Amino acid sequence: MDDRLLQSFMTVAECGSFTIAADKLSITQSALSRQIQSIEQTLGVELFERMGKKIRVSPEGEALRARINEVLIATKNLRLSAEELKKGEAGVLKVGACSQLIERYFPDFLREWQAEHPRVDIRLEEGGGADLDAKLMSGVVQLTINASSYARRPDVDAKPLCHLAVLAIGAAERIGSGGAPIDIAEVCAHPLLLLNRRHVSREMFDAACRLTGLDPRIALESGSPHTVFSMAIGNVGVAVLPSSIRALKTNLTVRPIAIEGRPVEFEISAIWSRSTPLPAYGRRFVDALAAHIAREQDGNSGTAAVA
């Protein structure tokens, strides 16, 4: 079936009016009516209920609406892939991620990726969780590397990449030595050096504090992980940072924060909008990044890049 006919159905369903939909599609109302009749004859069901001059999507139309949208997305992906093959695959991929993930995973990965895909221009946008989600939905970026909580909606697709822990980093006299998990109550007994609330790891720590009824003493709130880490080196307090942080070698203790022995963790995913499907090279970028992160985590076999 011609996907233009399917798009006509979706437009009428969204507009709730043949007149408005015809104007949006730049065709006559009679031509649009014939298109809808053609779809109904092919499928053998009525897609709209007509009540005088008003219409509404029929129960059968509603049942088919999601499937038709899937067909349109698949067709769009197919055309994008064909165009990329004709062009020899060239284009721009705009990727949003937080500073820690960019610093931890992207330098080596991008060098290798760009050597293999010299005609694909990767442009990075830095931001926090909600900020990245807004950029994705507004089309500023095509892909975000963000907390999986932002992928729990029907208008996005996602691929899980890794789990990150929320760490306590501080002097041994404050949080002891060794890398065993430390209970959140022990962490909150000290002045805390925190990232601001634009960071997902901070959201997770705040949620853990609420769950346990703790009221942390905040000595510093910063947008820079390295500012937080530097203050921990000065023993101003205990830093709370995600395990994606890459920091200088120090004598600080690094321990995963836990609640009743269970580490406070969160998942990171590659997320993209279903309404603007990734080009084929974008999907390969996601798969390659997932493989790179898995190799690095296997190589570290730990929770952090600090020591």
Side-chain angles (χ1 to χ4, degrees):
M1 184 181 295
D2 190 336
D3 62 294
R4 288 175 296 181
L5 298 181
L6 299 179
Q7 185 59 61
S8 293
F9 161 71
M10 293 297 289
T11 304
V12 176
E14 290 166 6
C15 294
S17 163
F18 276 92
T19 303
I20 296 172
D23 184 61
K24 191 171 183 179
L25 294 167
S26 299
I27 61 176
T28 64
Q29 186 172 335
S30 58
L32 179 57
S33 296
R34 288 194 297 272
Q35 289 181 352
I36 298 302
Q37 289 170 3
S38 175
I39 302 172
E40 290 176 330
Q41 289 171 2
T42 300
L43 297 178
V45 296
E46 288 191 0
L47 299 174
F48 295 97
E49 294 177 343
R50 295 157 177 84
M51 301 165 290
K53 294 183 178 181
K54 296 181 179 180
I55 63 165
R56 67 181 179 190
V57 182
S58 69
E60 295 82 2
E62 286 291 356
L64 292 172
R65 193 170 179 177
R67 295 292 183 88
I68 289 173
N69 191 47
E70 289 174 1
V71 170
L72 289 172
I73 290 173
T75 302
K76 192 173 183 179
N77 278 330
L78 181 62
R79 285 181 175 153
L80 282 172
S81 297
E83 288 174 7
E84 287 158 8
L85 290 172
K86 287 190 292 184
K87 294 176 183 176
E89 190 172 75
V92 175
L93 184 64
K94 298 177 183 178
V95 183
C98 72
S99 58
Q100 303 100 288
L101 291 174
I102 291 173
E103 184 180 357
R104 174 76 181 271
Y105 297 119
F106 278 72
D108 292 339
F109 169 70
L110 278 186
R111 184 178 64 251
E112 296 170 3
W113 168 268
Q114 289 175 333
E116 296 177 6
H117 304 82
R119 299 184 65 196
V120 177
D121 184 15
I122 305 297
R123 300 179 187 174
L124 298 178
E125 283 265 351
E126 184 183 324
D131 180 38
L132 290 176
D133 185 59
K135 287 182 177 181
L136 179 66
M137 292 299 102
S138 64
V140 174
V141 297
Q142 299 154 273
L143 172 70
T144 60
I145 311 303
N146 206 355
S148 296
S149 56
Y150 290 100
R152 296 170 189 153
R153 44 199 284 179
D155 55 347
V156 300
D157 282 324
K159 179 183 179 72
L161 298 177
C162 62
H163 281 83
L164 298 178
V166 181
L167 305 177
I169 304 174
E173 62 261 32
R174 289 188 183 274
I175 60 173
S177 58
I182 180 172
D183 192 82
I184 191 170
E186 293 183 55
V187 177
C188 289
H190 302 277
L192 297 183
L193 312 170
L194 304 179
L195 293 171
N196 61 32
R197 288 179 171 82
R198 293 178 63 243
H199 294 78
V200 175
S201 59
R202 171 64 186 279
E203 293 178 10
M204 293 300 299
F205 180 74
D206 286 349
C209 287
R210 289 193 297 271
L211 182 65
T212 52
L214 294 168
D215 185 16
R217 290 185 290 148
I218 301 175
L220 169 71
E221 190 171 26
S222 173
S224 167
H226 287 286
T227 298
V228 173
F229 190 81
S230 296
M231 295 292 278
I233 293 174
N235 202 12
V236 175
V238 174
V240 176
L241 292 167
S243 58
S244 55
I245 181 71
R246 186 190 293 276
L248 300 173
K249 298 288 184 179
T250 73
N251 294 322
L252 295 179
T253 298
V254 180
R255 301 180 65 180
I257 297 173
I259 299 176
E260 297 181 351
R262 291 175 288 115
V264 178
E265 296 181 330
F266 59 100
E267 186 180 62
I268 295 294
S269 289
I271 307 170
W272 59 96
S273 171
R274 297 195 73 195
S275 63
T276 309
L278 284 181
Y281 57 76
R283 294 188 293 276
R284 281 199 294 278
F285 178 92
V286 170
D287 291 341
L289 179 59
H292 174 79
I293 291 174
R295 286 194 302 271
E296 177 159 328
Q297 291 197 326
D298 288 343
N300 289 331
S301 65
T303 57
V306 290

